[in-house]
């Protein structure tokens, strides 16, 4: 896996092999109407819960994607350190204790997953349209969880740990 | 700089993601991109509806419009700057209206638009609350950094 820069010093993203980096890939999907249409075809329970048609769900998600994009650009350009305010910790019940803080930046259904390497430094590992309470419930979010774990393991092997985040997680589990 | 950050930076390549440049281009073109997306949604929805009735597909639409299937595939991705000519051809083949320009403006029209806007805002707030409940999260304001609404 390669780590490449978005906003230098504060926001980085993973690129796997020759594929587009994860941020480019997920936004490419979220702004692709046909992709979203195919995605929501299989999400009947979610559509029923919100009483939404497929067309309405696609429209809602597209708007969120553009808003999320705007939010990252605006924050990153004004003061990249403030990107830390856009991310929050994933719920412990989603996956237990970890050395590094798994963070998420979200705007309703859309989730961007990142590892907090330092106070103001984040590494984006992927993203997903969250259609269930817990990541393990659906294959596409479970895959994001697997990516987070693999990245964490790789960072640990290379001497990258985050003691502050570990403390936060400990406090939450006491 | 902490040891943690030093070790991390040893792993970072010199490459820069193209995301920022693409996102900034989107920002400059967001208004028409959103419209293109809405049109694509309408087209896909209509193809989905017509398929069991008359076998409509993207390929069939392309053939009846006398354009390539690859072009229609681009259109339904919602990022094409469509000409009025293309929009009209799609409308004629699918039997739908994609864009409509009001012929006259009146005070009655503006009152109707205000009432419609309030209904839309109310529905969106309700949808936002449902989203939070579905994802197991509380309804809080967010995003002190950018000042936008959400959680």
């Amino acid at each position: 896996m390669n780590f490449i820069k978005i906003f230098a010093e504060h926001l980085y993203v993973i690129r796997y092999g020759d594929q587009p980096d994860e941020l480019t890939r997920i936004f490419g999907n979220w702004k692709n109407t046909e992709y979203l249409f195919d995605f929501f075809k299989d999400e009947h329970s979610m559509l029923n819960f919100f009483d939404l048609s497929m067309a309405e769900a696609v429209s809602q998600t597209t708007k969120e994607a553009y808003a999320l994009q705007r939010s990252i650009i605006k924050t990153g350009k004004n003061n990249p350190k403030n990107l830390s305010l856009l991310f929050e910790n994933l719920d412990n019940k989603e996956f237990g204790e970890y050395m590094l803080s798994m963070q998420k930046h979200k705007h309703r259904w859309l989730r961007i997953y990142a590892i907090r390497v330092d106070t103001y430094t984040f590494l984006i590992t992927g993203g997903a349209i969250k259609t269930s309470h817990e990541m393990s419930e659906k294959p596409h979010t479970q895959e994001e969880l697997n990516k987070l774990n693999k990245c964490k393991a790789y960072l640990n092997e290379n001497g990258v740990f985050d003691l502050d985040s570990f403390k936060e997680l400990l406090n939450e589990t006491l | 700089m902490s040891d943690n950050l030093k070790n991390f930076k040893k792993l970072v390549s010199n490459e820069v993601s193209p995301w920022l440049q693409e996102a900034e281009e989107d920002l400059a073109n967001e208004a028409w991109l959103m419209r293109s997306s809405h049109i694509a949604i309408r087209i896909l929805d209509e193809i989905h509806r017509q398929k069991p009735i008359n076998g409509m597909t993207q390929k069939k639409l392309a053939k009846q419009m006398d354009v390539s299937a690859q072009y229609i595939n681009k259109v339904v991705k919602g990022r094409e700057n469509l000409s009025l000519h293309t929009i009209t051809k799609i409308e004629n083949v699918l039997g739908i209206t994609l864009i409509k320009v009001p012929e006259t403006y009146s005070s009655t029209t503006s009152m109707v638009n205000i009432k419609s806007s309030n209904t839309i805002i109310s529905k969106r707030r309700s949808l936002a609350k449902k989203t939070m409940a579905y994802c197991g999260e509380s309804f809080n304001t967010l995003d002190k950094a950018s000042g936008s609404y959400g959680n």
Side-chain angles (χ1 to χ4, degrees):
Chain A
M1 56 181 88
N2 296 313
F3 298 162
I4 65 175
K5 297 171 195 171
I6 302 174
F7 290 104
E9 309 305 323
H10 298 290
L11 193 62
Y12 299 84
V13 61
I14 287 179
R15 187 166 65 80
Y16 296 102
D18 294 329
Q19 293 181 35
D21 64 75
E22 285 296 296
L23 199 62
T24 301
R25 183 187 67 81
I26 60 179
F27 271 101
N29 288 337
W30 294 345
K31 294 180 295 183
N32 180 334
T33 307
E34 188 183 25
Y35 171 89
L36 293 176
F37 217 83
D38 287 341
F39 177 87
F40 283 110
K41 267 184 199 167
D42 298 325
E43 294 292 336
H44 301 290
S45 59
M46 184 193 186
L47 295 177
N48 288 339
F49 179 83
F50 289 107
D51 190 25
L52 287 175
S53 65
M54 258 192 332
E56 285 169 329
V58 172
S59 176
Q60 173 69 26
T61 308
T62 306
K63 283 176 201 163
E64 285 182 34
Y66 281 102
L68 185 56
Q69 196 168 251
R70 253 185 276 124
S71 182
I72 296 172
I73 293 172
K74 189 179 165 186
T75 307
K77 293 219 138 187
N78 287 346
N79 186 353
K81 284 188 174 181
N82 282 344
L83 286 166
S84 64
L85 298 173
L86 298 182
F87 288 91
E88 51 183 75
N89 287 335
L90 280 163
D91 296 331
N92 275 348
K93 68 180 178 182
E94 292 194 42
F95 46 170
E97 292 184 28
Y98 292 92
M99 295 292 289
L100 290 169
S101 175
M102 311 290 193
Q103 305 266 294
K104 62 181 174 180
H105 175 53
K106 59 184 180 180
H107 202 291
R108 303 184 190 217
W109 296 326
L110 301 181
R111 297 292 186 272
I112 297 174
Y113 297 105
I115 288 176
R116 187 177 207 160
V117 173
D118 203 65
T119 310
Y120 300 114
T121 307
F122 292 84
L123 171 66
I124 291 172
T125 60
I129 301 173
K130 191 167 181 247
T131 57
S132 58
H133 282 274
E134 297 196 14
M135 292 174 78
S136 55
E137 285 177 34
K138 289 281 176 103
H140 69 283
T141 42
Q142 175 66 53
E143 192 183 328
E144 295 304 317
L145 195 49
N146 295 342
K147 280 189 216 170
L148 277 164
N149 289 332
K150 276 184 191 168
C151 183
K152 179 191 84 81
Y154 178 77
L155 287 169
N156 285 171
E157 285 165 18
N158 285 278
V160 183
F161 303 92
D162 190 337
L163 294 177
D164 285 339
S165 296
F166 181 60
K167 284 180 185 173
E168 282 172 17
L169 285 166
L170 277 180
N171 285 337
E172 284 168 14
T173 56
L174 285 173
Chain B
M1 188 187 296
S2 65
D3 285 343
N4 213 45
L5 203 47
K6 276 183 201 165
N7 290 337
F8 174 71
K9 290 205 172 169
K10 287 177 193 172
L11 304 172
V12 176
S13 76
N14 290 326
E15 190 184 339
V16 178
S17 167
W19 179 84
L20 181 59
Q21 187 180 342
E22 289 172 9
E24 284 178 322
E25 283 168 13
D26 275 359
L27 208 60
N29 295 293
E30 196 172 307
W32 74 256
L33 281 169
M34 284 304 303
R35 295 217 169 173
S36 183
S37 173
H38 290 145
I39 289 172
I41 290 169
R42 187 71 184 92
I43 293 169
L44 286 166
D45 208 30
E46 188 59 26
I47 290 174
H48 185 69
R49 190 190 72 78
Q50 289 190 20
K51 193 172 181 184
I53 302 168
N54 59 19
M56 182 54 70
T57 59
Q58 288 184 36
K59 274 188 184 166
K60 193 170 177 179
L61 174 63
K63 195 172 177 184
Q64 292 187 24
M65 283 176 64
D66 196 26
V67 298
S68 68
Q70 287 85 353
Y71 178 69
I72 294 300
N73 193 247
K74 281 177 77 177
V75 170
V76 297
K77 281 176 170 40
R79 293 180 65 82
E80 275 297 292
N81 190 353
L82 299 165
S83 69
L84 291 172
H85 184 206
T86 301
I87 290 170
T88 306
K89 279 166 79 171
I90 295 169
E91 288 180 330
N92 288 342
V93 170
L94 293 179
I96 57 174
T97 302
L98 289 172
I99 58 172
K100 192 172 181 181
V101 180
E103 288 180 7
T104 57
Y105 173 81
S106 68
S107 57
T108 312
T109 306
S110 65
M111 283 304 298
V112 169
N113 287 339
I114 288 167
K115 281 183 189 172
S116 304
S117 297
N118 286 340
T119 307
I120 289 168
I121 289 167
S122 175
K123 190 172 180 182
R124 281 182 182 168
R125 285 184 68 86
S126 170
L127 176 60
K129 283 184 181 176
K130 272 191 173 182
T131 307
M132 305 308 162
Y134 189 86
C135 296
E137 293 151 0
S138 60
F139 189 71
N140 289 317
T141 53
L142 159 87
D143 209 344
K144 306 158 213 164
S146 65
S148 63
Y149 168 85
N151 188 15

